[in-house]
Each structure stands twice: as C-alpha cells, then as structure tokens.
C-alpha cells in the first residue's frame, strides 16, 4: 500500500522548517520510500527570536505562541502544496513541532506547534505530540528517529545525526539510541561571534588548535558518564556548554577546533557504549555509520570523526544531500503513518519506557 505524507521537522539549530513530501510503500512488512519534494523554509529573524526565547514566556504568552506557530506551520504546508501542485495528493501531515521544554525526569516534554491549528489551516489529518506518551510511560521521549532508521535504512549498523544536538543509534543487538552531546547549536553560536551564520565546511575550526584545558573540562561533564537511555534538552548547549567555552576566553578558531574535537571523541565513546570494544567491532565484520544532519556538511568535523573511528573498523557513510538535510522530516512522516495505522512507533529499547507506544495526537482536519 502507498501512503503519501508530508513530514515537518524544526530542529534545535533554528535554521528553518524542514518539509518533505514522501511516498511510502509497505509490502509484507517491508517499507520503501521516495522523497518526491523537499524544502527548508528559513525562519525570519522574528520567528527565530520567538522560538529561541519561548522558554522565558508567561503561560498565556507561551500558549499564544503555540497556537500562532501551529498556524504558521499550516500556512507553510499550504504554500508547499501550492508550489508543487500537491492538492488532493496528501494523505496525512506529521509534525514534530519545535522542542522547548524537555524534562523526562519529571515526565514532561513540550513542542510548540498546535496540531489543531495546523489541521485547521490545511484541512488535512495531522499527527503531532509524537514524544508525549513515551514520556508518560517513563521513557526519555528521545531519540524517536530509530524506528525509521530500522525500517527505512535496512542493513546499516549505526546512525549519527549531527544536528543542534548529536544523537546516535545502533541496529545491532536490538535497537538502541541516545543523545550524545550538543553539536551545531554550540558550533553556530561560536561562529556567530565572527558574524558568520555557521562555520562552512569547518574551515575556521580547521585553522585552530585544541585547547587541552577546555577539552578536558568538556569531556569530564557528568552527562557523559550516565548510561543510556538518556537525552538532552536544548538548554544543555546554550546554558551549560556555551558559557563554559566563553569563560575560557579563547579565540573563536581555537574554541571551534576544541569543540569539534570534543564532538568527535564523544561520538567514538558513544559507539563504545553499545557494549562493543574496538577489537570485537573489527572481529564482528564490517559496520557502517551513516551521518546526516547539518553537521554532515562540516567536512572538517566528519574528517575528525573518521580519524577517531579508524581503529574500530567502522566505515563512515555520508549520503545524498537530500537525505542529509531531510532524514528527520522523512522519519517524522513515517512515524505519522505508523500512528495512522495504530502501530508502535516509539520503542522502549531506545527510550527506556516501560513499553513500546503508539505516539502522536491525531487531529482530523478533513470533513466527515
């Protein structure tokens, strides 16, 4: 059966709204997909500011923004549909929303983007609140993309997403995943000091050197000693990591170089948390690590990850630009289809919840 879905993703790096229109085909439990159209709609300075500062709003202001952003998502989808002539060709919309609060220890997570507003604008079925029920069952609510990696990218052992937060998953010995560290959110803040939106290709980082004192301080953060499952809020990068770096009073080049090396080392250490040593990885045969997210286009950071992983025998794969940029929107679309089919779409082995769950609130924007 073929499903025609629009997936929406807004990441912590605040670079824009990712939209992917995807055809999924299910045959005897095996899934294939084709991304038909995709776009990244850059946020205006106004929307960037609203999303960035949303956690400091009053309750009424936050809920007004929740509604307004939902209508913005709906308007964006309508423009996308018009641009590509997709009228009457979309079965369902699945929207991750924009994460603001994420406190799984207190069984709470929040994503901006009211599903009712999105359904009202588009007049289509909409799935939102993809993480909430996993949190209610004691899970981390993150990462949620491994379900898509399992079914849509068979045969690959490891997946690394280098977004605002870096996260990793493994399909070996059961599906497992967790957040590694803050990534592009911190790198972009450091690049902003040079009046740059981001460090293109990692060129500035490559010109610097590693500051050992800061490097050791970063690697000794308590989070890295916690066993998975575990997840990070956006504030880990903005409120803990970035101030730590700025207190070091280093040049942007040295700060960027040091943090890139920190990310690369934590990727290596995270792979080791999947209960495989370097020698057993090599003995077990060839394994591949697929890198996606904006960081996959940071050539210097990818090169440092390759260097760190060389002793493990893991081959690093960088896919097509469309998969790099839209893998998360693709998987949000897939999660929405599983919700529509009332099938498990968030896995307890990944999040630590007491059971697998069917995540997502369904808003029926279509007429009866």
């Amino acid at each position: 059966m073929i499903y025609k879905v629009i997936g929406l993703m807004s990441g912590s790096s605040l670079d824009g709204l990712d939209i992917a229109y995807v055809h999924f085909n299910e045959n005897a439990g095996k899934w294939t997909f084709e991304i038909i159209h995709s776009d990244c709609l850059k946020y205006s300075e106004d929307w960037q500011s609203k999303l960035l500062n949303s956690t400091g709003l009053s309750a009424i202001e936050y809920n007004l923004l929740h509604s307004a952003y939902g209508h913005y998502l709906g308007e964006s989808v309508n423009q996308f549909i018009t641009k590509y002539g997709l009228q009457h060709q979309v079965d369902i919309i699945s929207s991750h929303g924009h994460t603001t609060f994420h406190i799984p220890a207190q069984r709470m997570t929040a994503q901006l983007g009211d599903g009712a507003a999105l359904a009202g604008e588009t007049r289509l079925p909409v799935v939102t609140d993809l993480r909430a029920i996993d949190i209610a069952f004691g899970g981390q609510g993150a990462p949620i993309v491994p379900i898509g990696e399992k079914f849509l990218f068979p045969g690959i052992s490891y997946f690394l997403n280098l977004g605002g937060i870096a996260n990793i998953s493994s399909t070996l010995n059961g599906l497992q995943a967790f957040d590694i560290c803050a990534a592009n959110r911190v790198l972009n803040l450091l690049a902003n000091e040079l009046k740059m939106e981001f460090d293109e290709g990692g060129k500035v980082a490559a010109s610097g050197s590693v500051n050992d004192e800061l490097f050791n301080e970063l690697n000794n953060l308590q989070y890295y000693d916690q066993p998975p499952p575990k997840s990070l809020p956006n504030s880990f990068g903005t409120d803990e990591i970035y101030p730590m770096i700025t207190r070091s009073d280093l040049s942007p080049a040295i700060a960027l170089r040091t943090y890139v090396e920190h990310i690369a080392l934590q990727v290596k250490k995270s792979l080791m948390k999947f209960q495989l040593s370097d020698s057993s990885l090599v003995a077990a045969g060839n394994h591949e690590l697929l890198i996606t997210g904006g960081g996959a286009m940071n050539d210097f950071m990818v090169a440092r990850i390759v260097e760190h992983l060389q002793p493990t025998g893991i081959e690093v794969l960088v896919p097509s630009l469309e998969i790099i940029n839209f893998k998360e929107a693709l998987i949000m679309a897939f999660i929405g289809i599983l919700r529509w089919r009332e099938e498990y779409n968030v896995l307890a082995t990944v999040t630590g919840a007491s059971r697998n769950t069917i995540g997502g609130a369904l808003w029926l924007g279509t007429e009866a």
Side-chain angles (χ1 to χ4, degrees), residues 281-293:
L281 276 170
V282 174
N286 295 326
H287 296 290
E288 295 173 331
L289 172 72
L290 185 74
I291 301 182
T292 55

Side-chain angles (χ1 to χ4, degrees), residues 5-73:
V5 196
I6 286 179
L8 305 179
M9 181 66 196
S10 177
S12 57
S13 55
L14 285 170
D15 52 352
L17 174 67
D18 291 339
I19 307 180
Y21 173 62
V22 189
H23 287 185
F24 295 98
N25 185 25
E26 187 270 338
N27 186 5
K30 294 184 178 180
W31 291 87
T32 57
F33 71 89
E34 182 181 3
I35 299 176
I36 307 298
H37 300 292
S38 57
D39 269 340
C40 179
L41 306 183
K42 288 184 67 67
Y43 287 127
S44 65
E45 289 186 8
D46 183 49
W47 270 115
Q48 277 193 337
S49 177
K50 287 177 179 177
L51 296 175
L52 181 63
N53 298 309
S54 58
T55 56
L57 299 175
S58 67
I60 183 63
E61 290 171 331
Y62 182 90
N63 279 284
L64 287 170
L65 180 60
H66 181 55
S67 176
Y69 185 60
H71 285 284
Y72 167 82
L73 293 177

Side-chain angles (χ1 to χ4, degrees), residues 317-347:
L317 303 178
V318 178
S320 68
L321 195 59
E322 190 166 52
I323 296 297
I324 287 173
N325 288 330
F326 296 102
K327 173 170 164 271
E328 288 192 306
L330 159 71
I331 293 180
M332 294 311 129
F334 182 66
I335 288 173
I337 281 301
L338 294 181
R339 168 63 182 88
W340 184 258
R341 288 163 55 105
E342 298 186 357
E343 296 177 4
Y344 291 133
N345 58 7
V346 185
L347 302 176

Side-chain angles (χ1 to χ4, degrees), residues 15 22-23 65 125 134 149 154 156 160 188 220-221 242 251 253 261 265 277 279 297 300 315 319 356:
D15 52 352
V22 189
H23 287 185
L65 180 60
D134 181 79
E149 293 166 343
I156 295 177
L160 173 64
N188 292 350
N220 287 326
L221 286 167
Y242 183 64
S251 70
E261 197 68 19
L265 177 62
S277 67
S279 58
M297 293 179 283
F300 180 68
E315 180 184 358
N356 295 335

Side-chain angles (χ1 to χ4, degrees), residues 79-344:
Q79 292 169 12
F80 181 86
I81 287 173
T82 299
K83 177 179 179 179
Y84 293 108
L86 300 178
Q87 293 85 352
H88 311 296
Q89 297 183 51
V90 179
D91 296 326
I92 191 169
I93 299 166
S94 183
S95 173
H96 177 272
H98 187 85
T99 298
T100 49
F101 301 100
H102 184 68
I103 314 173
Q106 299 181 44
R107 299 198 175 190
M108 190 278 280
T109 188
Q111 285 76 41
L112 286 169
D114 179 30
L118 177 49
E121 288 288 344
T122 60
R123 303 295 196 268
L124 289 167
V126 171
V127 175
T128 58
D129 300 325
L130 306 178
R131 302 179 185 270
I133 196 166
D134 181 79
I135 290 279
F137 277 92
Q140 290 288 310
I144 59 173
V145 296
I147 187 75
E149 293 166 343
K150 175 182 179 180
F151 286 105
L152 303 180
F153 298 92
I156 295 177
S157 301
Y158 303 106
F159 297 85
L160 173 64
N161 176 60
L162 293 173
I165 293 172
N167 46 63
I168 196 161
S169 59
S170 167
T171 59
L172 302 177
N173 302 321
L175 202 59
Q176 305 171 69
F178 57 91
D179 287 345
I180 300 173
C181 60
N184 293 342
R185 192 73 187 93
V186 172
L187 294 175
N188 292 350
L189 286 171
L190 293 171
N192 293 163
E193 296 176 7
L194 295 172
K195 309 300 182 185
M196 300 165 57
E197 188 176 352
F198 57 92
D199 180 14
E200 185 175 359
K203 294 175 183 176
V204 176
S207 71
S209 58
V210 175
N211 179 273
D212 291 335
E213 183 177 352
L214 174 61
F215 185 62
N216 292 331
E217 185 181 3
L218 289 166
N219 290 323
N220 287 326
L221 286 167
Q222 185 178 1
Y223 175 79
Y224 302 130
D225 294 326
Q226 296 176 20
K230 57 183 180 177
S231 61
L232 285 167
N234 293 336
S235 58
F236 182 74
T238 57
D239 299 349
E240 188 166 352
I241 298 293
Y242 183 64
M244 180 187 299
I245 296 173
T246 56
R247 285 195 301 269
S248 299
D249 197 27
L250 301 172
S251 70
I254 292 176
L256 282 162
R257 176 69 179 87
T258 302
Y259 200 70
V260 164
E261 197 68 19
H262 169 68
I263 293 171
L265 177 62
Q266 292 305 321
V267 168
K268 162 76 177 298
K269 287 186 172 183
S270 295
L271 281 164
M272 298 304 99
K273 289 185 186 296
F274 293 126
Q275 300 180 345
L276 293 168
S277 67
D278 288 357
S279 58
S280 63
L281 276 170
V282 174
N286 295 326
H287 296 290
E288 295 173 331
L289 172 72
L290 185 74
I291 301 182
T292 55
M297 293 179 283
N298 186 321
D299 297 333
F300 180 68
M301 181 158 59
V302 171
R304 294 308 305 145
I305 292 171
V306 170
E307 179 71 20
H308 276 275
L309 294 184
Q310 188 173 4
T312 72
I314 297 174
E315 180 184 358
V316 172
L317 303 178
V318 178
S320 68
L321 195 59
E322 190 166 52
I323 296 297
I324 287 173
N325 288 330
F326 296 102
K327 173 170 164 271
E328 288 192 306
L330 159 71
I331 293 180
M332 294 311 129
F334 182 66
I335 288 173
I337 281 301
L338 294 181
R339 168 63 182 88
W340 184 258
R341 288 163 55 105
E342 298 186 357
E343 296 177 4
Y344 291 133

